[in-house]
Amino acid sequence: MIKGKILQDYAELIIKIGVNLQPEQGLEIACPIEKSEFAVELTKAAYKYGAKIVNVRWNCDQIDKLNYANAKTETLTDIPKWLVNSKNYLVQNNFCYVAVSADDPEAFKDIPAQKLFEISKAKSKALKKYSDCVMSNGIRWCVVSVPTSAWAKKVFPNQSDPEQCLSEQIEKAMRLNTENPLLAWEEHIRVLEKRANFLNQQRFSYIHLKNAKGTDLMVGLCDGHIWTSARELAKDGVPFMANMPTEEIFTAPHRLRVDGVLKSAMPLCVNGQIIDDFYITFKKGKIVDYCANVGHGALKGLIETDKGTSRLGEIALIGKNSPIAKSNVLFYNTLFDENASCHLAIGQGYTTTVKNGDKLTKKELLELGLNDSTEHEDFMIGTPDLSVVGIKENGEKITLFADGEWVI
C-alpha cells in the first residue's frame, strides 16, 4: 500500500542506489503478481535512468502451492533448461536484477518439508553457475520488498489494515519518511563503512559470540577476510547495494574453524515454512547436532542440502538499535529480520569477503577457508544482551558489542 510520491521515491532509490543502473543496461525484475504496480514504478524509474530494456518475471504463491501439492516430485525437480539459460543470459548480457521479496511466510506450510527440500535442492543445483556469479558480484542485484496481503496479515494479525501497518514499517526501514531519502542513505552508508574499516584494520582471527539464551560460539575468520558493509563494488567497477534495507557489516567465517553452540533469536522462514526455537552445534566448522521445536523437518532439509550447508558462509553484525530492531516488529521475512539482529548464514560464502576472491580458483578459496555450497541461508542469533568480542592471533581481545550494541 506504499503509493504516490513515496512509491516513486522508493523505485528511484532502488534503481539509482540499489542496482545503480547504468545507461543502455538491461534490467530484470522478479515481483509478486499481486504487486504489479510496484514493478511498473520500477520500470518507469529504470527508463528514466536510461535502461535498454526491462523484463519482469512474475511470482505467485498460490500457483506455486497448487503445483507443489499436485505435481509429482520428479516433475517439479526437472528444472527446464530455458530457466537456467534465462538466468545465465542476465550475466552474459550485463543485466541488473531486482528481486521483490514479499512471500507469504507460511505459503507452503501444508506441503511436506521433504518435497520442498527436493525442489529447492534441484533449483539450487541447476542455477549454481548463476548463483556463484551473484555471490561474487558478477551481476548488480538488489533485494527489496513491498507489503503483500498474506504477508501483512502474518505480521499484523490483529490490525484492521495490516497492509497499511506493514507499509509504514517498510517506509521507516527504507528511510522514505525522511526529507531526502537519497541523502539519508548516503549518510547511513558512511557510518557502516567507518565501522567496516575499523574491523578490517584489526585483522581478527576469531569472533566470540555469547548471550544468556545459550549461544556460545567461536567463529574463526577466513584467511584474508574482508569486512563489507552496505555498498559493494561489482566486477564491472560500479558500486551497488545488494539488500535494501541493510544495517549489516559482514565477512566470511573459516569453514573449518567454528566451534560451540548457537541458539536462534528469531524465527526463520524457508521455502514457505517457519523454523523456530532451534539450536545448532558446531565442531571444527561442521554442524554435528541440531534441533528445532518448530519446523525441524525444514531445518533438517536445509542443513542436509549438500556438504556446504553443514558449515557457515557468513557472519554479520547488527546493533540492537538499528531502525528495524527498534521497531520491535517480527517481519517473518529475512530481508528485514536479519537487519534487526546479528546473524549467521550456512552455505555459500561470498568471494567478495576474501581478498582477491574474484581472482582465485574454487580450490584456492577453499584453502583460505571460504565455504562452497548451492545454498546461502541467513538466520538470526542477536539478542539484547549479546556480547561480541574480536580476538587477534596474539590473543588480544577487543569488545565490539556489549548488551547487543556496538561499542566501537
Side-chain angles (χ1 to χ4, degrees), residues 189-300:
I189 291 167
R190 280 194 291 271
V191 172
L192 292 178
E193 287 179 344
K194 184 177 180 181
R195 287 193 173 123
N197 289 337
F198 173 85
L199 293 174
N200 283 322
Q201 290 169 4
Q202 303 308 309
R203 307 313 308 157
F204 293 120
S205 293
Y206 282 88
I207 298 294
H208 185 198
L209 306 158
K210 189 173 184 180
N211 63 16
K213 192 176 181 72
T215 290
D216 191 352
L217 192 70
M218 291 288 286
V219 180
L221 302 182
C222 264
D223 299 337
H225 67 274
I226 298 171
W227 289 93
T228 303
S229 60
R231 180 175 281 158
E232 302 179 61
L233 201 64
K235 283 187 177 180
D236 61 7
V238 178
F240 75 105
M241 293 180 63
N243 291 338
M244 292 187 80
T246 183
E247 305 287 336
E248 66 181 295
I249 298 168
F250 62 98
T251 195
H254 194 294
R255 56 188 295 272
L256 305 178
R257 296 167 52 202
V258 180
D259 292 277
V261 63
L262 61 84
K263 297 288 185 72
S264 63
M266 303 171 73
L268 170 63
C269 299
V270 178
N271 297 326
Q273 296 189 322
I274 292 177
I275 304 171
D276 196 12
D277 191 17
F278 62 91
Y279 74 82
I280 300 176
T281 303
F282 290 84
K283 186 174 182 180
K284 294 183 179 179
K286 187 176 182 180
I287 295 174
V288 294
D289 188 28
Y290 60 89
C291 184
N293 287 328
V294 177
H296 181 79
L299 179 62
K300 180 177 186 293

Side-chain angles (χ1 to χ4, degrees), residues 86-104:
S86 71
K87 300 300 282 187
N88 291 336
Y89 176 89
L90 301 180
V91 178
Q92 295 161 2
N93 292 275
N94 192 33
F95 270 60
C96 291
Y97 180 70
V98 173
V100 182
S101 171
D103 299 330
D104 176 358

Side-chain angles (χ1 to χ4, degrees), residues 247 266 318-320 322 324-326 329 331 336-343 380 382:
E247 305 287 336
M266 303 171 73
I318 300 100
K320 68 180 180 182
S322 75
I324 298 174
K326 289 173 71 174
V329 173
F331 286 89
F336 289 88
D337 290 335
E338 73 170 7
N339 284 298
S341 167
C342 288
H343 60 266
M380 289 60 74

Side-chain angles (χ1 to χ4, degrees), residues 26 56 84 144 362 397:
V56 179
V84 177
V144 298
K362 188 157 290 187
K397 297 180 179 181

